[in-house]
Amino acid sequence: MEIPVSDFDLALTLDSGQVFHWESSGAGFVGTIGGQAVYVEQRGKRLEVRDGGARPAGREKLPEIITRYFSLDHPLAEIRASFPDHPVMSAAANYCHGLRIVRQPRWECLATFITSSMKRVAHIRQISQTLRQRYGRRFPIHGRHVHTFPVASQLARATEKELRGCALGYRAKNLLATARLVASGEVDLEELARLSDEDLRKALCALPGVGPKVANCVMLFAYERLHAFPIDVWIERVLRETYFPRGRRMTARQLRDLVETHFGEYGGYAQQYLFHHARTTTPHRLSRGAR
DNA sequence: CTCCAGGGATGAT
DNA sequence: ATCATCCATGGA
């Protein structure tokens, strides 16, 4: 099955630190979109897609699933045009041509970013894979197998010790507690979609293991809040070097005001481009202040 | 060996 | 409100 695309870079999008479970397979990638096993391959301006052949009846068709997940409806040209006119921003936007903010399943995104604190992208991928293999569902696709991310009720049945066995460390307790809140129905992630940005952020931050940074990631990647601007160590470094040169004082308040006002209505896109550009072009060894 | 990672919770000023 | 400290784990 083929889907025409423009202004889209599949490999770039999958490698940009939003999602952590897609794997190279031949000329494409295998992974899951919710409960659906998928193979995706890009050939220029079209996507070759296949499902696992065991798609549950009565659900969305594959092209709709793909179009929605990869946000092929986002107006990328308009989004790029909304960015501040700054050489650092332009360099990042140029570097990230075709990178789209993915529409992730809510629980999968929330749970994954709870596990992400103080972890490198490679480690997050490893944790995601372990959780999927031990607690998710296994489906054949493209001559191999992929695993869905476990639903909240599945993880809620685990013990903290078991989760620590997935290399989660101190994050195990938080993931388990949040899984139980979601599984019990005490927190309804779909209902939260009705809330304003401010109330949504507040509700997410009330969950164990969720602070401002993870909340903003979940808002951006799972609730279509394209203004949400997560600040991690990479972004903070970029913003300090760009807007507060030579160690000028930069308070948390100044940072929040800057990202709230300076990057426009698609600030989350600006953030993702700055993040990916910095992370993949800065040698780790040099990323520490001294230079 | 040391240093760091898509941070958060807690307690002290 | 801001700040320091601790929290596990693994790769460089």
Side-chain angles (χ1 to χ4, degrees), chain A residues 42 56 63 65 83 125 176-177 183 219 266 288 291:
Chain A
Q42 181 162 25
I65 293 175
F83 293 160
R125 293 183 64 92
L176 183 57
M219 290 173 67
Y266 296 114
R288 194 174 6 141
R291 196 163 29 184

Side-chain angles (χ1 to χ4, degrees), chain A residues 11 16 26 30 71 87 90 105 124 131 152 155 157 159 178 197 200 208 225 242-243 253 267 271 276:
Chain A
S16 63
V30 292
S71 301
S90 301
I124 302 169
L131 288 174
L155 284 185
R157 276 182 234 120
T159 65
T178 294
D197 286 0
L200 174 58
R225 309 300 169 105
T242 304
Y243 297 98
R253 178 71 189 185
Q271 178 277 157
H276 185 68

Side-chain angles (χ1 to χ4, degrees), chain A residues 266-287:
Chain A
Y266 296 114
Y269 259 97
Q271 178 277 157
Q272 185 63 19
Y273 287 4
L274 289 170
F275 168 79
H276 185 68
H277 180 57
R279 191 177 73 83
T280 56
T281 60
T282 310
H284 281 205
R285 187 169 48 79
L286 298 179
S287 62

Side-chain angles (χ1 to χ4, degrees), chain A residues 114-249:
Chain A
I114 285 175
T115 72
S116 76
S117 87
M118 293 300 291
K119 279 291 184 190
R120 294 176 193 250
V121 169
H123 295 154
I124 302 169
R125 293 183 64 92
Q126 182 181 333
I127 290 171
S128 169
Q129 184 180 27
T130 304
L131 288 174
R132 286 167 182 272
Q133 287 176 347
R134 295 192 184 176
Y135 300 98
R137 291 187 162 188
R138 185 171 186 260
F139 291 106
I141 182 76
H142 199 241
R144 44 197 294 178
H145 291 276
V146 294
H147 298 260
T148 62
F149 193 87
V151 295
S153 58
Q154 188 69 32
L155 284 185
R157 276 182 234 120
T159 65
E160 183 181 332
K161 179 172 289 188
E162 285 171 3
L163 292 183
R164 279 180 179 263
C166 301
L168 277 174
Y170 62 86
R171 305 157 194 82
K173 178 180 294 197
N174 291 330
L175 179 61
L176 183 57
T178 294
R180 288 181 172 161
L181 285 173
V182 172
S184 73
E186 188 169 337
V187 172
D188 186 335
L189 296 182
E190 300 307 318
E191 276 298 309
L192 296 188
R194 305 159 151 276
L195 299 178
S196 67
D197 286 0
E198 191 183 346
D199 288 342
L200 174 58
R201 185 175 291 110
K202 196 181 305 177
L204 289 171
C205 285
L207 300 171
V210 181
K213 191 271 173 182
V214 169
N216 277 320
C217 282
V218 175
M219 290 173 67
L220 177 60
F221 299 139
Y223 285 90
E224 302 179 63
R225 309 300 169 105
L226 299 184
H227 181 69
F229 198 110
I231 299 176
D232 70 341
V233 292
W234 287 99
I235 282 294
E236 184 167 344
R237 192 175 297 139
V238 170
L239 295 180
R240 178 169 36 232
E241 291 174 355
T242 304
Y243 297 98
F244 299 85
R246 255 195 267 291
R248 270 178 50 203
R249 189 98 180 100

